[in-house]
Amino acid sequence: KAGVTQTPRYLIKTRGQQVTLSCSPISGHRSVSWYQQTPGQGLQFLFEYFSETQRNKGNFPGRFSGRQFSNSRSEMNVSTLELGDSALYLCASSEQGYSYEQYFGPGTRLTVT
Amino acid sequence: AQTVTQSQPEMSVQEAETVTLSCTYDTSESDYYLFWYKQPPSRQMILVIRQEAYKQQNATENRFSVNFQKAAKSFSLKISDSQLGDAAMYFCAYYHGNAGNMLTFGGGTRLMVKP
C-alpha cells in the first residue's frame, strides 16, 4: 500500500493570506490526525477526523480548521496567516477509530513571510 | 492532562557506543501505550519502538530497547552499537485512547553520532 501523502511539500505564504494543506491517508484508513511542529512548541496536536467527523481538537485558535472527505482525504485550512504559523504540518492516519498504530506523512513545510 | 517530558535537548554518542535517551510522563491512567519515534532530516516520523503499559517486559527491537518504569513514569530508550544513521530527532510519545487517536509528544532529543 502507498503511504500517507501530503501536498504540497513546501509552501510560502504572506501574512494575512490563507492556506490549505492536504493529506491522503493510507488506503482503508479512516482516521486522520494533524500536528503542528515548531522549534519552540514542539509537536502539538491540531485535530483529528474520523469518518468525516472531527472528534478532537487541540488548543489552537479558530483560524485553524479542517475537514475530511468521504474518501478519508483530509484538508486543513489556516486563515489570516501569522508569522508564528510557520511550521512543519504533519498528518497521521490510522485504520481504526481508536488505534495506537499511526502512520505519518512526510509533512508540509509552511513558511509565512 | 497527560504530559510528556524529555529533559535532554541534545545528546551525543560515539559510533558503536551505547546511548540512553530519557523520557518521563504524567498520567492518571493505568492502561496506555508509549512510543519512541525517530525523525531524521527528511522529516518523516518513523516508529522505533512501542511499549504497552500492561506489559512488564521491556520492549526490544534489534539495537533499540526501552527501560519502562511504570511506577516512576519513566520510559527511556537505549540505542546500542550506535550508527551514523541513528542521528536524528527522537520523540517520546504517549497514547491512551480516551481522546481518539491523539498522540502526546515530548519536546524531542536531538541525537548526534560522531564517527
Side-chain angles (χ1 to χ4, degrees), chain A residues 16-93:
Chain A
Q17 289 185 316
Q18 75 165 20
V19 67
T20 299
L21 311 181
S22 179
C23 173
S24 293
I26 292 171
S27 178
H29 285 198
R30 297 161 61 195
S31 166
V32 174
S33 301
W34 289 90
Y35 296 86
Q36 181 196 63
Q37 184 177 10
T38 61
Q41 299 297 319
L43 275 153
Q44 292 186 289
F45 173 78
L46 278 158
F47 31 63
E48 184 217 350
Y49 287 87
F50 179 74
S51 294
E52 302 179 64
T53 301
Q54 186 183 88
R55 290 203 299 183
N56 201 4
K57 183 176 168 72
N59 189 24
F60 279 84
R63 299 185 297 108
F64 291 81
S65 63
R67 60 177 174 170
Q68 186 178 35
F69 301 94
S70 59
N71 62 357
S72 294
R73 187 178 70 86
S74 177
E75 290 182 345
M76 66 162 283
N77 183 276
V78 188
S79 63
T80 318
L81 283 166
E82 300 178 358
L83 296 179
D85 297 332
S86 294
L88 178 67
Y89 290 88
L90 294 167
C91 77
S93 78

Side-chain angles (χ1 to χ4, degrees), chain B residues 20-74:
Chain B
T20 299
L21 308 184
S22 301
C23 172
T24 57
Y25 59 95
D26 187 26
T27 183
S28 58
E29 305 294 341
S30 59
D31 189 17
Y32 48 87
Y33 294 82
L34 295 165
F35 311 86
W36 280 98
Y37 280 90
K38 171 185 178 182
Q39 188 181 42
S42 67
R43 306 179 328 210
Q44 183 85 44
M45 294 285 274
I46 302 165
L47 177 64
V48 174
I49 199 165
R50 178 184 72 239
Q51 175 78 45
E52 291 91 337
Y54 64 87
K55 290 186 177 179
Q56 291 189 340
Q57 186 173 6
N58 289 323
T60 299
E61 288 286 344
N62 301 314
R63 299 182 294 108
F64 299 88
S65 62
V66 299
N67 184 4
F68 173 50
Q69 301 290 327
K70 191 173 185 178
K73 296 180 181 174
S74 169

Side-chain angles (χ1 to χ4, degrees), chain B residues 82-94:
Chain B
S82 295
Q83 301 175 359
L84 295 177
D86 294 334
M89 283 290 292
Y90 286 82
F91 292 94
C92 179
Y94 167 98

